[in-house]
């Protein structure tokens, strides 16, 4: 029996990494006059990783890391108009329309009629809440958790707080590192639905022989059949 199905948000329900890739490309072009282009993105990524403990995940931290990288790579010659362009890039990302992945608009409401759904996402509280509101899916979720990191410990705390047994919990997401492996470790069920781009930070080296206990689907449209198979008709009817 599954009591609750939890979903990751970015690149599971709506496109996200594509926004970052687009901004990185514009950032690379912006700095091209100051620095060899091939090292710009590596340098930006290193800055982001250094800043992660301070800023956490999300667009605002990404923007500060772009500015810091621009100042460093240009030896302080970057112009204020160029800094303004970076700020503008970040604001565009924050205001971007929420673009749902295929099948999400049908699958999430349908599953929400069968079972309690939860959203578990990491990142910036305000941005994630705003995206959920714009997605039109907010009413489908009986709980929303925006966490600082998706570690086994944080999932354990979260499941305890909601009184959920891991064996009755299913997590669905695009990141093996954040959405799948911690849940497998806790003894829960997990479904991995890869997105066509994975942020380097989320890449893990997994050999399928060594990790079992999760299922990979090609797209979220396949999820209702998987859930039906997993539960028979024993999905906990939504209260
Ligand atoms: Mg994700």
């Amino acid at each position: 029996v599954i009591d609750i199905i939890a979903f990751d948000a970015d690149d599971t329900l709506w496109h996200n990494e594509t926004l970052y890739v687009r901004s990185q490309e514009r950032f690379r072009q912006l700095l091209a006059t100051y620095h060899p282009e091939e090292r710009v993105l590596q340098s930006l990524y290193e800055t982001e990783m250094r800043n992660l403990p301070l800023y956490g995940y999300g667009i605002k931290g990404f923007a500060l890391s772009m500015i810091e990288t621009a100042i460093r790579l240009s030896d302080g010659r970057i112009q204020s108009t160029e800094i303004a362009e970076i700020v503008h890039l970040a604001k565009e990302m924050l205001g971007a329309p929420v673009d749902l992945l295929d099948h999400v608009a049908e699958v999430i409401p349908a599953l929400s009629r069968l079972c309690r759904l939860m959203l578990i996402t990491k990142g910036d509280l305000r941005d994630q809440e705003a995206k959920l509101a714009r997605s039109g899916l907010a009413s489908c979720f009986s709980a929303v958790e925006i966490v600082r990191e998706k570690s086994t410990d944080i999932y354990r705390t979260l499941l305890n707080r909601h009184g959920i047994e891991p064996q009755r919990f299913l997590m669905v997401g695009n990141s093996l590192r954040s959405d799948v492996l911690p849940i497998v470790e806790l003894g829960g069920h997990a479904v991995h639905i890869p997105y066509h781009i994975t942020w380097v930070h989320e890449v893990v080296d997994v050999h399928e022989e060594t990790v079992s206990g999760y299922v990979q689907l090609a797209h979220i449209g396949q999820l209702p059949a998987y859930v039906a198979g997993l539960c028979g008709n024993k999905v906990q009817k939504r209260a």
Side-chain angles (χ1 to χ4, degrees):
V1 184
I2 294 293
D3 289 335
I4 192 151
I5 306 176
F7 290 85
D8 167 56
D10 292 338
D11 300 324
T12 297
L13 300 182
W14 49 71
H15 296 278
N16 175 66
E17 196 53 31
T18 39
L19 282 181
Y20 281 87
V21 169
R22 203 178 310 146
S23 293
Q24 282 167 353
E25 190 44 44
R26 285 171 62 185
F27 181 70
R28 201 163 63 88
Q29 289 164 5
L30 188 75
L31 284 192
T33 48
Y34 300 102
H35 203 78
E37 289 196 34
E38 66 272 16
R39 283 178 48 215
V40 167
L41 293 190
Q42 180 58 31
S43 188
L44 171 61
Y45 179 67
E46 286 162 12
T47 312
E48 282 186 85
M49 287 305 103
R50 259 198 317 278
N51 289 335
L52 201 54
L54 289 170
Y55 302 154
Y57 296 95
I59 293 167
K60 287 180 264 182
F62 177 62
L64 286 172
S65 292
M66 281 195 287
I67 292 169
E68 184 183 332
T69 307
I71 293 170
R72 194 178 56 250
L73 295 187
S74 69
D75 293 317
R77 288 174 296 139
I78 191 94
Q79 301 294 306
S80 61
T81 51
E82 292 166 320
I83 302 282
E85 265 186 70
I86 296 174
V87 172
H88 178 71
L89 267 183
K91 286 186 178 171
E92 261 186 7
M93 289 174 79
L94 287 167
V98 173
D99 186 11
L100 297 181
L101 269 72
D102 288 347
H103 311 291
V104 166
E106 302 81 49
V107 164
I108 297 296
L111 284 174
S112 77
R113 288 188 285 272
L114 292 173
C115 181
R116 281 166 60 216
L117 304 188
M118 185 187 247
L119 191 78
I120 306 178
T121 174
K122 66 186 185 207
D124 179 67
L125 177 67
R126 195 182 173 86
D127 184 37
Q128 296 295 32
E129 282 181 345
K131 284 193 287 189
L132 179 60
R134 275 180 275 155
S135 74
L137 299 172
S139 64
C140 299
F141 296 97
S142 53
V144 175
E145 292 284 349
I146 299 167
V147 295
R148 142 176 73 75
E149 187 60 84
K150 283 176 161 176
S151 63
T152 306
D153 279 347
I154 287 178
Y155 277 116
R156 186 183 292 116
T157 306
L158 205 147
L159 294 187
N160 281 340
R161 180 146 40 85
H162 286 271
I164 303 164
E165 291 173 49
Q167 318 85 266
R168 299 163 74 101
F169 177 76
L170 170 64
M171 177 78 198
V172 181
N174 71 298
S175 169
L176 274 180
R177 174 191 173 130
S178 296
D179 305 317
V180 172
L181 299 181
I183 301 302
V184 170
E185 201 183 324
L186 289 173
H189 302 268
V191 169
H192 181 219
I193 306 179
Y195 187 68
H196 66 280
I197 321 168
T198 303
W199 184 29
V200 193
H201 178 64
E202 297 288 339
V203 173
V204 279
D205 197 14
V206 175
H207 301 287
E208 281 181 30
E209 330 63 272
T210 58
V211 180
S212 56
Y214 73 91
V215 164
Q216 188 178 98
L217 300 179
H219 58 79
I220 203 168
Q222 298 173 335
L223 187 65
Y226 173 73
V227 169
L230 185 68
C231 305
N233 54 3
K234 295 196 287 275
V235 176
Q236 195 72 32
K237 196 84 176 144
R238 188 175 179 177

